[in-house]
Amino acid sequence: MLLLIVAYLGGVLTILSPCILPVLPFVFARADRPFRSHGLPMLLGMALAFSAIATLAAVGGGWVVALNQYGRYAAIAMLAVFGVTLLFPSVADRLSRPLVALGLRLAGPAPETKASVFSPLLLGVGTGLLWAPCAGPILGLILTGAALNGASIGTSLLLLAYAAGACTSLAAALLFGGRLFSAMKGSLRTGEWVRRAAGVAVLAGVGAIALGLDTGLLSRLSVGTTSALEGALVEKIGMPMPIPVPLSQPRAPALPDEGGLPSLAGATEWLNSAPLTAESLRGKVVLVDFWTYSCINCLRTLPYVRAWAEKYKDAGLVVVGVHAPEFAFEKLPANVRRATKDLGIGFPVAIDSDYAIWRAFGNQYWPAFYIVDAQGRIRHHQFGEGQYAKAEQVIQQLLAEAGRPAVPADLVSPQGQGTQAAPAELPALSGETYLGYERAHNFASPGGISNDHAHVYSAAAPSLRTNQWALAGEWTVESERAVLVRANGRIAYRFHARDLHLVLGPSADGKLVRFRVLVDGKPPLADHGADTDAQGNGTIDGQRLYQLVRQAANDRERLFEIEFLDAGAQAYVFTFG
């Protein structure tokens, strides 16, 4: 009983907290209605909705978080309509019939009309869904006890007492506001203006909640904070102080169950490990990384994947790289073995040259992360670069769920070098460009591409427009590559990006191919990439991605040219960063 009283008093003190401000417009917008038929049902709906949502939040289920979020969206929309009908009554006439009915129901009948409790009760439920008070010591005590001991009827009663206390103070404010409204209306005849002011306040409150100001900025305001008063009440009953946790900010994000880990049996070969199976990985947290070694986006994720594999290996994380090729040369096991060694990859790699694992996952992207919990369920996925902090936090959460002790809480921040360096802060304005006719675009050599036949191309490089490219010399353009027939052939590309990469291969017999790079007709000097020197010289020693230009910034477009001094060069695709 004593704790119920303390919870009630803590709720009463909520009226002094800045984070109650976004709720007040919804309450005072009804100040012109009788308290018994309008104010009281609204506050009752508010208390019941808040208590129900808070009780479910104490359970901690991910579906509860999602349900509450959808409820907040619906409530924001509903209360926004309410605010619009207060501000512009004529708008209701121009809305469709369902919205008219909703607006009129929310706005309620005129004061002289017999009222229905449904309207204020519905408004109160919507307000309760949005209400996320700053979690002071008392509310924190209730939620912490529920988290440690499980939610119960007692938890619901304490939350209801807390909500009742808050509604008591709001009721007092509403009664005072009602008298003030009546006085203003009777003496100043400003009822319509007050109604419009209430509409503005309601819309402002909806905006504040939609932007997160109710739990962000307002919760950090120190003026009128109730923590000291609530702390004194907690000390009076001799209970420990919990760490405050806002209801709208759960300790860990909800992770859905996306199905079981598919079979890994389709791999044609395994590197750095004996063949792994879904069954053998049970009990481990698993990161499955789909990649291919000539993909610039995949290469730039590698510093993070390697760092996670090393950091969490003793905590129970297993990283499995699934190498799914894009080009024919990436299907050769020898090429994959060489690339894996050159890239410093020590975690298990499944060579998926037949795309069996790719199809089992239903995957469509390079790179792609799938994170699996210790029970063998996929709990998170993400495609493409970035969001590394999110992925690592999921790893930490799943390791904690698996009961792993001493899971590090910090986040890695590796610095990749060469082709593994992070992309520029400003996005590249040039995009992936294939040289094989199957996916080629923006080709500017006169006469177009001659498919699968040796042809002498001419290129007027200075006349190229942004993102156009051209060949010069004798080339055979095949479906996925262009192959140089005679020495001294050239490729030109007018690009706008910080980095320029080109996937290249040596001659068919394996002989090295020398090349020279120019930028705006001159050696690149300080703008040379990891695979060229300051004079633009380099050598093709294998089928892989080469970084040819690395600038300090991507503030202007530039003309790139590469001349191959030996025959047999294979060129596949330009990528940028």
Side-chain angles (χ1 to χ4, degrees):
M1 179 59 71
L2 178 59
L3 192 54
L4 284 171
I5 295 174
V6 172
Y8 176 82
L9 292 176
V12 170
L13 293 174
T14 305
I15 192 68
L16 303 177
S17 174
C19 58
I20 200 67
L21 292 176
V23 176
L24 293 180
F26 310 138
V27 176
F28 287 124
R30 312 290 302 192
D32 62 331
R33 306 288 196 263
F35 178 78
R36 181 177 298 177
S37 60
H38 289 80
L40 187 59
M42 184 195 69
L43 294 175
L44 178 62
M46 178 180 170
L48 292 176
F50 168 76
S51 301
I53 292 298
T55 299
L56 292 175
V59 177
W63 64 273
V64 175
V65 177
L67 180 64
N68 185 34
Q69 191 61 37
Y70 289 128
R72 285 173 63 85
Y73 294 152
I76 286 172
M78 180 179 68
L79 292 171
V81 172
F82 172 52
V84 170
T85 59
L86 288 173
L87 187 59
F88 303 110
S90 61
V91 170
D93 296 332
R94 294 192 294 270
L95 295 176
S96 61
R97 289 187 177 181
L99 289 179
V100 170
L102 178 60
L104 294 177
R105 177 63 59 87
L106 289 173
E112 61 271 11
T113 305
K114 185 177 180 180
S116 168
V117 297
F118 177 76
S119 167
L121 186 66
L122 180 62
L123 181 61
V125 169
T127 307
L129 289 173
L130 296 182
W131 182 28
C134 301
I138 292 176
L139 185 56
L141 176 65
I142 298 170
L143 293 177
T144 301
L148 294 175
N149 305 313
S152 63
I153 295 177
T155 300
S156 299
L157 290 176
L158 289 172
L159 290 168
L160 185 58
Y162 186 92
C167 289
T168 299
S169 56
L170 288 174
L174 184 57
L175 288 170
F176 175 78
R179 293 191 179 96
L180 178 62
F181 182 91
S182 298
M184 292 179 63
K185 184 176 180 181
S187 61
L188 302 178
R189 302 182 182 276
T190 56
E192 186 61 29
W193 287 104
V194 172
R195 179 186 177 96
R196 291 180 179 178
V200 171
V202 166
L203 292 176
V206 169
I209 292 174
L211 295 174
L213 297 180
D214 58 325
T215 56
L217 174 63
L218 293 175
S219 64
R220 292 193 293 270
L221 292 176
S222 59
V223 178
T225 182
T226 63
S227 296
L229 292 174
E230 291 189 37
L233 288 173
V234 171
E235 290 176 2
K236 288 293 183 182
I237 62 173
M239 292 192 173
M241 291 278 288
I243 298 174
V245 180
L247 283 178
S248 60
Q249 298 178 6
R251 291 181 182 275
L255 298 175
D257 181 351
E258 301 181 10
L261 173 63
S263 172
L264 304 176
T268 57
E269 185 177 334
W270 282 86
L271 306 179
N272 302 328
S273 170
L276 299 175
T277 65
E279 292 74 22
S280 67
L281 292 169
R282 189 64 63 89
K284 301 286 188 178
V285 173
V286 182
L287 169 63
V288 179
D289 172 25
F290 282 90
W291 69 294
T292 186
Y293 77 81
S294 72
C295 165
I296 183 60
N297 308 96
C298 301
L299 293 175
R300 290 194 292 232
T301 65
L302 278 179
Y304 288 89
V305 178
R306 286 196 305 261
W308 295 334
E310 179 64 26
K311 179 179 178 180
Y312 298 105
K313 64 180 181 181
D314 294 334
L317 176 70
V318 175
V319 174
V320 177
V322 178
H323 185 274
E326 180 178 10
F327 299 110
F329 67 82
E330 293 175 305
K331 296 182 180 181
L332 301 176
N335 284 349
V336 182
R337 285 193 290 269
R338 174 182 174 180
T340 300
K341 180 179 179 181
D342 291 345
L343 294 170
I345 296 174
F347 52 80
V349 174
I351 300 180
D352 191 30
S353 296
D354 297 332
Y355 303 101
I357 303 175
W358 178 283
R359 289 192 297 269
F361 275 78
N363 186 54
Q364 300 181 45
Y365 305 95
W366 294 284
F369 292 163
Y370 296 87
I371 306 180
V372 184
D373 67 15
Q375 299 180 42
R377 302 171 299 176
I378 298 175
R379 300 288 298 281
H380 178 74
H381 69 270
Q382 60 189 61
F383 306 132
E385 297 180 70
Q387 299 186 13
Y388 300 116
K390 171 67 174 178
E392 186 170 4
Q393 288 166 352
V394 170
I395 291 171
Q396 292 174 348
Q397 181 176 340
L398 294 183
L399 288 172
E401 286 183 9
R404 304 295 182 180
V407 177
D410 60 318
L411 302 178
V412 302
S413 183
Q415 299 297 317
Q417 303 296 322
T419 57
Q420 299 177 50
E425 292 185 4
L426 295 177
L429 300 182
S430 295
E432 195 171 46
T433 303
Y434 291 87
L435 279 65
Y437 62 75
E438 194 171 73
R439 290 186 280 179
H441 64 281
N442 290 338
F443 183 66
S445 289
I449 293 176
S450 180
N451 296 356
D452 295 317
H453 291 91
H455 181 76
V456 177
Y457 295 89
S458 60
S463 66
L464 292 178
R465 297 194 298 272
T466 304
N467 296 329
Q468 285 187 332
W469 63 283
L471 298 173
E474 188 171 359
W475 293 83
T476 299
V477 180
E478 302 173 355
S479 62
E480 69 173 22
R481 63 182 180 177
V483 180
L484 181 61
V485 177
R486 298 181 185 276
N488 303 115
R490 301 190 308 279
I491 305 175
Y493 193 117
R494 188 172 295 278
F495 74 103
H496 194 154
R498 186 194 67 183
D499 305 338
L500 181 146
H501 312 93
L502 185 55
V503 176
L504 298 168
S507 62
D509 58 6
K511 291 183 178 179
L512 304 183
V513 175
R514 297 166 298 154
F515 64 82
R516 181 170 56 241
V517 165
L518 299 176
V519 178
D520 294 335
K522 301 176 182 179
L525 302 179
D527 293 334
H528 71 90
D531 293 296
T532 57
D533 61 20
Q535 296 303 311
N537 299 310
T539 302
I540 304 175
D541 56 6
Q543 292 171 309
R544 61 180 178 87
L545 182 141
Y546 291 76
Q547 186 184 78
L548 304 178
V549 177
R550 175 67 185 271
Q551 305 177 81
N554 58 343
D555 54 353
R556 59 193 173 99
E557 67 176 33
R558 308 195 71 178
L559 177 63
F560 167 84
E561 295 175 275
I562 181 170
E563 180 180 8
F564 300 96
L565 308 181
D566 304 297
Q570 305 170 45
Y572 291 83
V573 59
F574 282 99
T575 59
F576 303 90

